[in-house]
Amino acid sequence: MLMYSKIALGNVKKSLRDFSIYFLTLAVGVALFYSFNSITQQSMVLNLSEDQRRIVQLLSNTISGVSVFLAVIMGFLVVYANQFLIRRRKKEFGMYQILGMTKRNVSKIMSIETLLVGFLALVVGLVAGIFISQFMMFATAHMFNTTLDSFKFVFSQTALIQTVIYFVVMFVVALIFNVTTVSRYKLIDLLNADKVTQTVKVRNLTVSVLLFLASLGIIAYSYILLQHNGLKQIDDEFAMATALVSVGTALFFFSISGFLLRFMQMQKGFYYKGLHSFILRQFNARVNTAWVSISLVCAMLFVAVCGLGTGFSLVDSMNASFSKLKTYDVSVAINPGSERSYTPGPADSYDYLSVVQKLDPEWNKTIKNAFQVDTYYAQDDPTTPSFTYSTLDAVTGKRFDDYFTGYSGQGDPAQSNVTLMRASQYNKLRVASGLEPVDFGTDGYMVWTLDTNLTKYWQDSLANNPELTIQGHKLHAVGGTLDIAQTQGGPSLMPAAGIVVVADQSFPSSTVLTNSYILGNYQIPGDATETQFQDQIKQYLGDGGVTGNDSDPYSLMLVVTASQYIQATAGLSGIVTYLALYIGLVLFIACAAILALQQLSEASDNARAYQVLAELGAEKGLASRALFVQIGVYFLFPLLMAAAHATCAMSIMVSVIKSIGNFDVASSIGGVVAVVAALYGGYFLVTYFAARSIIFRGAKRMQ
């Protein structure tokens, strides 16, 4: 056994470049598995609330479940990598058998090599994962909008055990695969492994062109369907678009090799320059045999790009939105009872503030500068709205339906009521936000909205300052017409769809009260007051909400503090962000590793072709550039297609996300580019140098 161990160790030292992709993939995979599964332990040193700790635990449980799925992908990758290593060393195994070794002995050497490389990758990956997890503490603190008082070393025994179990299982599967594979090979096949030649199959040009054009048409049509449908609902149209983009992608890679080769052959000045003909024929041969796997890689890259894009943008976007929610410490949202909600009447406000003060005797001791604002619908009777989006569209010439993407409800959104607010109450919000009040006069109006996907609708609709008529009152635009997220309403009052603010003197006489909001700030800002107020809520208002009765006509009162809202929202965004990054990074590694292994296998098969180039007088530098371009194009093609798919998908996701908050596109693009440059580019360079080593060993005459 000692002899076999020495041979295995010598083989690993001798073939470091051959093992480079395998080792790198295992080590990075281990690091990611450990660091993400240690989130619970990371959170222990952070100043998290009880609610945030529950969210972190939910996140940890979700990541543990996702890890099983990702472990299956990594397991497939380990087996795939071992397949390459066996193929690369067939002749070596044949020589072992000529020297008297049995297949069992050869299997022992391979098993020791697999365990040795796996053990080293596991150790290196765990060290890297422990190191990365220390930095992730700061990311978690930023994500959950909390602090880290001082640095504390974090080690998660649970994450360590989980990671070791996952990868030990992978190694065992790889061992079984290796032993089974070697036992099936005949000696003659092993000795002649380096004499395998690849025929370049050139498809009919007409067929290739037709299939190529068809693929572009199918992909374009699927984009149109997705853009039209958006995420309104997951229906047959959405399923058809998804199926078409998959078919189009497969046809693209099936036809591109033959189409590109024949097309370039017609460009004789380019085709016969340098080693271009050689590069194109090598690319054609590989894509001809691997178009299915390349299509799958493209699909995985698409998911990875979308995941990473969402993950990188969401945290910064949410934190930017949080800063705007600190205008008010306390927000009380009141939804009136059904009778009051649907019975039109005069636009008088029920004094809900006095109701709250009566329910909470400590209110005035804790809260200062509290005031109430109300929102309404203009409605003549319970069934006849007076001012809807279709009414507005008739005046402005714009269609609400054309801008309202992501709608998942029933009915026509254009028939929805437009929400109204009194100018006097809106100006209270402006003053509290540190802004100057707007002079509405007796018949003025303007629109207050968040920066969402509907902002464009309001900008286009109000471009010419149209005159509006509501229940006989003619209104003209004032104050710049449009207030885009300048005025702050707190976590409960966020005008995502937009609110039309109307001068008090011209406010509709027949309305429906939709919601009331009480906003205020603490007498003494700080955590102590927050805790005191939370105790008041539990004591006087239950767990944040109370139901109405006959004497007090409200049906639901929901009390939310800015701190509560920020913590809850940050926690949910944290779950999405970490999952998106975790899945995206693992898939990126898997895709890059698959492409790398395919190219290394190609290099092993084509070593003789490069040797022939050397014998014909090709310089080493020229051959190196040819190899560089060949591998670069192979890596680039599926990435570009995945980026095109992701651009279409992200444009839809942005419109949906912007309906609830801001979306940082720049951060998303920057983060994805950084990962592509670091991971994808890193794998490309490692592949190039490893392939170069494989090829030039057999082409020593190159100078």
Side-chain angles (χ1 to χ4, degrees), residues 237-305:
E237 186 173 310
F238 181 87
M240 179 182 294
T242 304
L244 286 175
V245 77
S246 301
V247 172
T249 301
L251 281 179
F252 177 85
F253 289 113
F254 178 78
S255 63
I256 187 63
S257 60
F259 167 75
L260 186 63
L261 178 61
R262 296 298 296 269
F263 179 79
M264 289 301 176
Q265 284 176 338
M266 291 185 283
Q267 316 302 316
K268 298 189 182 297
F270 176 86
Y271 184 75
Y272 291 107
K273 183 179 180 180
L275 295 180
H276 290 172
S277 61
F278 178 77
I279 295 172
L280 286 168
R281 293 180 73 84
Q282 293 299 315
F283 176 79
N284 177 86
R286 170 49 61 184
V287 176
N288 268 341
T289 58
W291 65 271
V292 174
S293 62
I294 296 176
S295 300
L296 293 175
V297 166
C298 180
M300 293 169 63
L301 282 173
F302 161 71
V303 176
V305 169

Side-chain angles (χ1 to χ4, degrees), residues 606-644:
N606 291 331
R608 287 176 61 85
Y610 278 88
Q611 188 172 357
V612 171
L613 286 178
E615 294 172 352
L616 294 174
E619 296 181 354
K620 187 175 181 178
L622 188 63
S624 295
R625 287 193 295 273
L627 182 64
F628 186 89
V629 172
Q630 177 187 330
I631 296 175
V633 171
Y634 196 79
F635 269 73
L636 196 59
F637 259 70
L639 180 63
L640 290 178
M641 180 60 73

